[in-house]
RNA sequence: GGUCCGGUGGCCGAGUGGUCAGGCACGGGUCUGCAAAACCCGCCACGGCGGUUCAAUUCCGCCCCGGACCUCCA
């Protein structure tokens, strides 16, 4: 039974019912990184958001193909190579590898296909030839340009008219363009710049054609969802759509467009000149908890809203993870409850409302804690519209299943709580020995000694929690 | 200047035409040798001004404030 899914479609600027072209096989394309530098915080947001979307779709549909490209041809890469002396191939290989590692660290599953622009050149050339043949593109001075007036619907995706675009143009219009809005499909390369032979001479692709060619190669001319950062809506996605719809008239191209909001740092746009440019590596270096905490931070804000990254926010997200794992650590094994799962999952089906699902997850957490520690789970259960008291472990098992769709709280709870001991610091065995010594002191009513041991461990960052089942430890 | 998106309690952050978001912080309890954790209770917000309505934070208009984008490449 597939629940109704609704997503905000950028093209119509409204929430739309999601109806896959083929219910047996859902297809989604997300714009991936241009690999010229380490991924920054802003790059990670779409990856996390669309990872959740894919996990959600996989829960309901038998097959989902998720494509995310790697753009490894770009003048930013060329510039970087020229400045640093490192070869283009080395830069893109190294950066791609780092990207993979960083995305894994925030819990993002790899896409099903990850096409590279450099491996799709033939497809791009064929694509451009098709546009020329159809009267949608023209060659001029070694360039090939897309003829925007040939596509009457141009601007519909981003909600702009050609007049708007001309009025706002802040870049000089190249003299060989027929219309100011025309954009480059192919451009000539000089001897020092990477280039490929083409019918228009040695050159390289423009910015947008690679995504049209790669989505076509992987998913065909029609697919369900196209995702990316909101900054890509115009011109990148507008141009992609124009190219694809003109090359394949009658196709729908992407049926739905989803865009995530931008990420800011301390209330400011992230930029190198402001000195607030944060790579994901900067965050991951803070500890083994940082990847999941960052993911939690991202999910705490709705994907379309602007997200302001702050250290305080990251600390709070980490505390949320701590509380989740603390609950999971004390909950007994049990089966999950279908109604609880559906209740907590429902907000995700309504335009991926991760903050509300997280709130419901907290209710499940509180219910579990109340059940296992002798409190009253009434309030949380009533929010679910129920008046029963679940068996211990049931809310926790349900929590875990919903959290899996968000890609959080899937680690071993004890590893989370005890992970990341400093090298050369206390060994777990030494901590256990200290706990045993303290227990002996307590039995002998030597509370001064017991407290001394507690304080000693606290200095090492180890916190003891005395519970009904004995004493457990965790890192502060 | 144009297009679009937002302004919710000390902070973060959902949502709704009329009964509750939630979290953090804070205050008070329970439990506890101590501590921590957990649980329970409290904390009654919706940028401004008009309008529609029996009723608006929620709909409409205007204003103020913030943000995104306004085209490859020299």
């Amino acid at each position: 039974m597939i629940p109704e899914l609704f997503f905000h479609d950028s093209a119509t600027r409204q929430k739309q019912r999601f109806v896959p072209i083929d219910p047996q096989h859902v297809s989604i394309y997300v714009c991936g990184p241009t690999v010229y530098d380490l991924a920054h915080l802003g790059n990670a947001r779409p990856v996390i958001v669309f990872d959740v979307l894919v996990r959600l779709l996989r829960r309901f549909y038998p097959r989902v193909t998720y494509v995310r490209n790697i753009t490894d041809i770009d003048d930013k890469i060329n510039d970087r190579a020229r400045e640093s002396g490192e070869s283009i191939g080395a830069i893109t290989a190294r950066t791609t590898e780092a990207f993979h590692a960083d995305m894994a660290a925030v819990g993002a599953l790899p896409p099903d296909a990850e096409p590279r622009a450099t491996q799709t050149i033939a497809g791009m050339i064929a694509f451009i030839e098709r546009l020329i043949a159809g009267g949608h593109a023209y060659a001029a001075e070694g360039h090939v340009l897309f003829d925007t007036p040939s596509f009457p619907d141009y601007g519909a995706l981003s909600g702009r008219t050609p007049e708007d675009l001309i009025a706002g143009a802040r870049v000089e219009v190249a003299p060989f363009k027929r219309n100011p809005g025309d954009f480059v499909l192919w451009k000539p390369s000089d001897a020092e710049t990477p280039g490929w032979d083409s019918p228009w001479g040695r050159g390289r692709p423009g910015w947008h054609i690679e995504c049209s060619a790669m989505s076509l190669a992987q998913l065909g001319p029609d697919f369900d969802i196209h995702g990316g950062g909101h900054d890509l809506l115009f011109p990148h996605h507008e141009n992609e759509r124009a190219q694809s719809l003109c090359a394949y008239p009658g196709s729908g191209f992407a049926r739905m467009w989803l865009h995530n909001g931008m990420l800011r740092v301390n209330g400011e746009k992230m930029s190198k000149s402001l000195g607030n440019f944060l790579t994901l590596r900067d965050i991951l270096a803070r500890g083994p908890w940082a990847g999941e905490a960052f993911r939690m931070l991202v999910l705490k804000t709705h994907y379309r809203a602007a997200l302001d990254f702050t250290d305080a926010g990251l600390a709070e997200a980490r505390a949320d993870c701590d509380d989740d794992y603390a609950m999971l650590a004390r909950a007994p094994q049990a089966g999950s409850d279908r109604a609880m799962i559906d209740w907590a999952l429902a907000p995700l089906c309504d335009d991926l409302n991760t903050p509300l699902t997280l709130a419901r997850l907290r209710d499940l957490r509180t219910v579990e804690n109340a059940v296992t520690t002798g409190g009253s789970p009434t309030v949380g259960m009533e929010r679910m519209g129920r008046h029963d008291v679940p068996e211990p472990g049931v809310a926790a098992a349900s929590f875990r299943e919903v959290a899996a769709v968000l890609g959080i709280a899937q680690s071993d709870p004890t590893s989370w709580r005890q992970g990341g001991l400093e090298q050369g610091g206390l060994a777990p065995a030494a901590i256990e020995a200290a706990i045993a010594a303290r227990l002996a002191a307590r039995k002998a009513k030597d509370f001064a000694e017991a407290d001394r041991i507690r304080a000693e461990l606290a200095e090492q960052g180890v916190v003891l929690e005395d519970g009904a089942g004995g004493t457990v430890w965790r890192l502060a």
Side-chain angles (χ1 to χ4, degrees):
Chain A
M1 189 61 186
I2 299 172
E4 292 195 336
L5 301 179
F6 291 88
F7 301 114
H8 179 92
D9 177 25
S10 301
T12 56
R13 284 164 284 283
Q14 282 181 330
K15 217 183 271 186
Q16 302 282 3
R17 168 102 192 268
F18 173 69
V19 181
I21 298 165
D22 175 2
Q24 295 304 308
H25 188 182
V26 174
S27 47
I28 173 167
Y29 183 92
V30 175
C31 286
T34 298
V35 282
Y36 70 103
D37 205 349
L38 290 173
H40 62 246
L41 263 31
N43 294 324
R45 170 124 98 143
V47 173
I48 293 168
V49 164
F50 291 110
D51 182 61
V52 172
L53 175 61
V54 169
R55 287 171 188 252
L56 182 72
L57 292 170
R58 288 216 170 105
R59 192 179 165 86
F60 299 125
Y61 291 99
R63 187 176 170 208
V64 176
T65 296
Y66 171 32
V67 178
R68 188 181 63 213
N69 68 289
I70 296 277
T71 295
D72 55 0
I73 304 171
D74 187 276
D75 285 347
K76 286 195 285 290
I77 301 172
N78 300 338
D79 293 344
R80 190 57 62 96
R82 200 173 303 117
E83 289 158 13
S84 67
E86 188 179 8
S87 78
I88 287 169
I91 291 173
T92 58
R94 176 172 57 76
T95 309
T96 300
E97 193 180 342
F99 178 77
H100 287 156
D102 290 351
M103 296 312 127
V106 296
L109 302 170
D112 298 295
E114 192 172 53
R116 318 282 162 109
T118 47
Q119 293 163 5
T120 322
I121 296 291
M124 293 189 225
I125 291 172
F127 206 106
I128 294 168
E129 287 183 311
R130 224 180 140 96
L131 286 171
I132 293 173
H136 296 289
Y138 57 94
E141 298 184 26
H143 295 69
V144 181
L145 292 114
F146 183 87
D147 184 51
T148 46
S150 78
F151 181 53
D153 207 31
Y154 189 77
L157 174 61
S158 56
R160 291 152 208 264
T161 65
E163 294 74 46
D164 292 336
L165 299 173
I166 293 164
R170 61 185 177 190
V171 172
E172 251 181 277
V173 177
F176 49 78
K177 285 188 181 182
R178 286 185 194 164
N179 313 283
D182 293 354
F183 54 92
V184 168
L185 299 169
W186 191 264
K187 58 189 166 187
S189 291
D190 60 24
E192 288 79 52
T193 310
W196 290 263
D197 289 328
S198 82
W200 317 285
R202 184 175 174 280
R204 59 196 195 282
W207 174 25
H208 318 292
I209 193 68
E210 88 279 9
C211 279
S212 283
M214 286 188 272
S215 66
L216 176 71
Q218 299 290 332
L219 300 172
D222 272 294
F223 56 93
D224 291 309
I225 296 173
H226 192 126
H230 191 259
D231 54 340
L232 296 179
L233 180 58
F234 187 88
H236 185 55
H237 289 160
E238 188 72 54
N239 292 354
E240 237 185 287
R241 176 171 177 271
Q243 292 162 351
S244 292
L245 254 24
C246 286
Y248 291 86
S251 77
F253 194 46
R255 294 298 177 87
M256 225 177 214
W257 293 82
L258 270 58
H259 291 96
N260 62 274
M262 297 295 96
L263 182 143
R264 321 179 75 215
V265 173
N266 296 318
E268 292 176 314
K269 185 172 178 172
M270 193 163 51
S271 78
K272 286 183 177 164
S273 59
L274 286 168
N276 63 353
F277 191 90
L278 284 174
T279 66
L280 198 49
R281 298 245 148 145
D282 295 330
I283 301 306
L284 294 175
R286 297 191 188 183
W289 50 269
E292 185 165 340
F294 181 74
R295 186 180 178 98
M296 174 67 87
L297 168 72
V298 167
L299 266 21
K300 285 178 69 162
T301 298
H302 184 87
Y303 78 95
R304 287 196 289 115
L307 164 58
D308 190 22
F309 176 89
T310 60
D311 283 335
L314 185 65
E316 192 174 310
R318 183 192 181 187
D320 288 329
C321 295
D322 286 343
D323 292 347
D324 289 344
Y325 280 116
M327 178 274 288
L328 292 171
R330 70 179 137 249
Q333 286 293 118
S336 59
D337 180 294
R338 185 55 196 248
M340 283 183 180
I341 291 169
D342 289 346
W343 175 75
L345 216 45
L348 295 183
C349 301
D350 185 14
D351 200 28
L352 224 54
N353 192 339
T354 54
L356 189 54
T357 281
L358 283 169
R360 292 186 177 186
L361 244 19
R362 276 185 219 105
D363 275 327
L364 291 183
R365 186 177 80 196
T366 300
V367 165
E368 182 63 49
N369 282 333
V371 168
T372 50
T373 64
S376 159
T378 318
V379 174
M381 292 306 290
E382 279 181 355
R383 257 198 288 276
M384 273 175 247
R386 288 165 58 164
H387 306 282
D388 57 319
V389 175
E391 291 299 309
V394 170
S398 308
F399 173 101
R400 194 76 117 148
E401 198 169 325
V402 175
V405 180
L406 297 179
I408 57 169
Q410 299 301 298
S411 299
D412 173 64
T414 303
S415 302
W416 171 272
R417 286 156 61 77
Q418 300 182 348
L421 279 175
E422 291 293 323
Q423 288 292 328
L426 284 173
I431 296 170
E432 293 299 341
I435 289 173
R438 176 167 164 274
L439 182 63
R442 290 176 70 201
K443 273 202 166 147
K445 302 277 185 207
D446 184 357
F447 294 122
E449 172 63 6
D451 290 347
R452 189 194 63 75
I453 293 171
R454 176 195 288 290
E456 195 173 275
L457 288 172
E459 273 179 34
Q460 305 284 326
V462 174
V463 178
L464 300 187
E465 296 178 2
D466 296 330
T471 300
V472 296
W473 66 274
R474 66 179 168 87
L475 294 175

